Amino acid sequence: MRSMLAGAAAGAAGTTALNAVGYADMVWRGRAASHVPEETVEALAERAHVSVPGDGDAREHRLAGLGALSGILTGVGIGALVGSVHGRGARPPGVLGAALAGAAAMAATDGTMAAVKVTDPRKWSFEAWVSDVLPHLAYGAVTYAVLTVLDRRPSR
C-alpha cells in the first residue's frame, strides 16, 4: 500500500510535468489546446449511456473540465500502478523506469482515444507524435524520479 500511495503522489508530480511541457509547447508554437480529451470523455459517456448535463457552452465547459480531470486521474492512476509494481521489486534502472512509466501513461491515453475512435495515432504527423511523446517522457521522468525517492526502503 505504501508503494502504491508513493506511486500515486509521484504520478501527480509527473502529471504536473506533463501539463507544464504541454503548455510550454502551446506557448512556443502558439497552438491552441487540444480538444481530444473532452471528445474522448464525450465518446466514453456515450458508450456508457451517461449524459453530460447542460446545453451549449455549459456542456462544453463540463466536457473540458472532465477531460482535464480524466488526465489527472490517468496520471495518478498510472503512478499508483507503477508504484505497486516498484514495491513488488520490479525496479528497472532510472532511464528505463522513466521510459516505461511514460510509455504506460501514453498507452493508456492514446489507447483510449483510439479505442473510442476520437483519433488514430497511425495517421499522426511527426509533429503530432513529438507533441505527444515529449510530455509523456516528462511524465515518466518525474514520476519515476519521485517514486524512487519516496519508495526507498530503509537499509538493514
Side-chain angles (χ1 to χ4, degrees):
M1 182 60 101
R2 181 179 186 271
S3 296
M4 191 179 340
L5 290 173
T15 300
T16 300
L18 180 145
N19 287 334
V21 171
Y23 292 135
D25 179 51
M26 290 168 62
V27 170
W28 179 260
R29 293 192 297 146
R31 70 170 178 84
S34 173
H35 294 287
V36 171
E38 53 257 42
E39 291 169 14
T40 302
V41 168
E42 186 171 33
L44 288 169
E46 286 173 9
R47 283 185 176 213
H49 305 291
V50 174
S51 65
V52 176
D55 293 317
D57 286 347
R59 184 171 186 279
E60 293 302 314
H61 297 319
R62 283 189 179 100
L63 286 168
L66 288 167
L69 288 170
S70 72
I72 294 168
L73 179 62
T74 300
V76 171
I78 294 295
L81 177 66
V82 171
S84 179
V85 171
H86 194 261
R88 293 179 190 265
R91 296 167 186 243
V95 172
L96 179 59
L100 290 171
M106 192 167 158
T109 56
D110 295 351
T112 302
M113 294 183 302
V116 298
K117 301 192 183 340
V118 168
T119 187
D120 185 350
R122 296 174 298 181
K123 296 178 181 174
W124 290 357
S125 67
F126 176 78
E127 186 177 75
W129 272 105
V130 170
S131 292
D132 194 51
V133 169
L134 291 180
H136 284 97
L137 285 176
Y139 169 86
V142 171
T143 298
Y144 203 70
V146 171
L147 175 62
T148 301
V149 170
L150 292 178
D151 199 36
R152 287 212 169 115
R153 301 284 185 217
S155 45
R156 296 180 184 216

